[in-house]
Amino acid sequence: MRSPKTLLLLAAVVGPAASAARADVTLHPLFTSNMVLQQGVAAPVYGKADPGEAVSFTLTGPDGTASASKQPVVAKADGSWSFALPADLKAGTGYALTVKGKNAVELKNVAVGEVWVCSGQSNMEMAVNGSETPDKVKAASKNPKIRLFTVAKKTSPTPLDDYKDLSHLKGWVECGPETVGSFSAVGYHFGAYLQKHLPGDVPVGLIHTSWGGTPAEAWTSKEALDAVPSLKHYNENLAKKLQDHDPAKADAAFKAATEKWKETSAKLKADGKPVPRAPQKPGDPNLSQNSPARLYNAMLHPLLGYPVKGATWYQGESNAGRAFEYRTLLPTMIQDWRNKWHAELPFMVVQLAPYLAISKEPQDSSWAELREAQYLATKALPKVGLSVITDVGDEKDIHPKPKQPVGERLAVAALAIEYGQKVEPIGPVYKAMAVEGDKAVLTFDHTGGGLAAKGDKLTGFVVAGEDKKFHNADAEIKGDTVVVSSKDVPKPVAVRFGWANYPVVNLWGKSGLPAVPFRTDDFPMVTGPKAAPPAAPKAKAAASAK
């Protein structure tokens, strides 16, 4: 929700002055026909006009009743203007909005409902066309109460405000077979489930902004990274890269490498030998999609004046090698978005899918550590949910095609956490461990009425003794507990579940959601802080100083 103070500050969001005079009233690109306005708030409408130009609006409801601005707003010296619509608009479709200055702009088929942002990297970006059973999904997708908005890929070294830089904001469309194919599959399934299960048949608007292969720091503002001592290195390292980057030298080196590659390739080809890949032209680190804040600046900042209910997030693969740091980075990014939107946005996170070769023996795993960091975000901040997808994975494909369960579990979490519905937001969550002889007895929260195994025997549990060496374990559901043991561990000290790159697990809650991978220990992590090297002996240190 936005405070009156926040609405007064909206003029600062719409951006700096443009150099050229404007003959026409222009709306921010987020305001188009087919849009969804967030219900329950005095939604702002904002844009540009000639300085001093009087701008007014008329909003016509589904029943034909019209309400208009009591008096025009006057465009400021920089051309910006903003007004707030009534906060009590009834959820539904069939609204029309006309904005008048020297000209008139009419937006048709406007809806009022719930607006969610869908963001992340490639598994959020994967379109319905690339997911499981796309033809079936598209055939059933027609729903005028679901609206889709796509932010195309763009980077920027500074936050984008000038409307001429916002052509990558593509406008709202109704959901249907002709439009949903190119939209995020996770985003669509989230929105479809949410729209179906919200009372009152409320419209849902989905704003998709994602980019495959990108890290979380690229989606976080510069000032948010600078404010956390352990994350400042991102901006410091980029500053060094920019200082060392010489475009002319880089281009010359690339041309020289390409000429050498052509000569070498010709000889190899003549000899019937394989040809190496051609050199890649070096990019400008100031515009790289992987550089800190570059996607925040171009693909998130332009959205900030538009009220939304919450966000869904599917990302982490690119940060798996820095999983321990992600414990700090993900909550920092979430809080950054909340600060910028001036709202405690509910934030629904997808936990990483199983990936890489299945290991028959217990293993350390950066992917398991990243999943743990994602779960810990639900404890670090309020209103953060988790979609656990240990049953959706592919050993050889980092992009598993089934996206419906992913999106629907995000929606279940949102229904519980934000909308107060009496459903479990998550599957069984480890609560406590008690050791009884050679057995570890585990208890859980969020069982949904009980624990269940999908299969004849529980899988995915390992146990360690005092030597901290893990062994595959037998596990059995007994009442509301899981009892874990191994013939190789007479005195259990720690248990892990689903702790692998590709966990093979089958513990579920009777709510129909899979259990969250966990560990009961706090043993050193493969991505954790490295121990400092031992200090040199004093005698040697003294000798080397001479």
Side-chain angles (χ1 to χ4, degrees), residues 40-95:
V41 301
V45 178
Y46 44 94
K48 299 285 187 175
D50 285 335
E53 185 172 351
V55 181
S56 61
F57 77 88
T58 301
L59 181 69
T60 304
D63 60 357
T65 302
S67 59
S69 46
K70 295 180 180 179
Q71 59 184 26
V73 296
V74 177
K76 297 183 178 182
D78 65 356
S80 65
W81 56 265
S82 173
F83 55 76
L85 297 175
D88 59 353
L89 295 179
K90 185 178 179 181
T93 59
Y95 287 88

Side-chain angles (χ1 to χ4, degrees), residues 40-272:
V41 301
V45 178
Y46 44 94
K48 299 285 187 175
D50 285 335
E53 185 172 351
V55 181
S56 61
F57 77 88
T58 301
L59 181 69
T60 304
D63 60 357
T65 302
S67 59
S69 46
K70 295 180 180 179
Q71 59 184 26
V73 296
V74 177
K76 297 183 178 182
D78 65 356
S80 65
W81 56 265
S82 173
F83 55 76
L85 297 175
D88 59 353
L89 295 179
K90 185 178 179 181
T93 59
Y95 287 88
L97 177 65
T98 300
V99 179
K100 289 184 178 180
K102 295 175 182 177
N103 61 302
V105 179
E106 184 179 3
L107 306 184
K108 300 178 181 179
N109 195 31
V110 173
V112 175
E114 298 293 274
V115 182
W116 284 77
V117 173
C118 308
S119 187
Q121 57 180 107
S122 53
N123 273 302
M124 180 62 84
E125 184 183 347
M126 179 186 279
V128 166
N129 283 336
S131 67
E132 189 176 48
T133 63
D135 292 340
K136 179 180 178 182
V137 172
K138 288 190 289 185
S141 68
K142 185 172 181 57
N143 187 339
K145 293 196 173 180
I146 299 176
R147 310 291 176 83
L148 313 175
F149 186 100
T150 297
V151 180
K153 295 177 181 177
K154 189 180 179 90
T155 70
S156 175
T158 57
L160 295 183
D161 287 309
D162 198 321
Y163 292 7
K164 67 180 176 60
D165 296 326
L166 301 182
S167 61
H168 60 302
L169 274 60
K170 297 300 182 180
W172 291 92
V173 296
E174 271 193 15
C175 183
E178 300 80 18
T179 59
V180 78
S182 60
F183 195 77
S184 162
V186 170
Y188 165 68
H189 287 298
F190 165 80
Y193 192 93
L194 194 67
Q195 202 280 321
K196 182 179 179 180
H197 289 84
L198 284 174
D201 203 20
V202 176
V204 170
L206 303 169
I207 300 175
H208 173 226
T209 178
S210 65
W211 192 324
T214 56
E217 61 269 19
W219 295 94
T220 309
S221 72
K222 180 182 185 300
E223 55 268 30
L225 294 171
D226 276 339
V228 181
S230 64
L231 301 178
K232 289 177 64 175
H233 67 91
Y234 284 113
N235 291 327
E236 292 170 348
N237 291 342
L238 177 58
K240 292 177 183 176
K241 288 182 181 178
L242 294 175
Q243 187 175 7
D244 296 339
H245 180 65
D246 185 326
K249 288 184 179 180
D251 190 54
F254 169 70
K255 289 179 179 179
T258 300
E259 289 303 316
K260 185 175 181 180
W261 172 81
K262 289 179 179 178
E263 294 176 10
T264 303
S265 297
K267 293 178 182 178
L268 291 171
K269 197 172 184 179
D271 294 337

Side-chain angles (χ1 to χ4, degrees), residues 386-409:
L386 193 69
S387 172
V388 177
I389 54 170
T390 46
D391 57 322
V392 178
D394 189 317
E395 286 183 83
K396 298 180 180 180
D397 191 348
I398 200 171
H399 307 117
K401 289 185 178 298
K403 291 294 189 270
Q404 184 169 348
V406 183
E408 291 186 350
R409 289 172 197 171

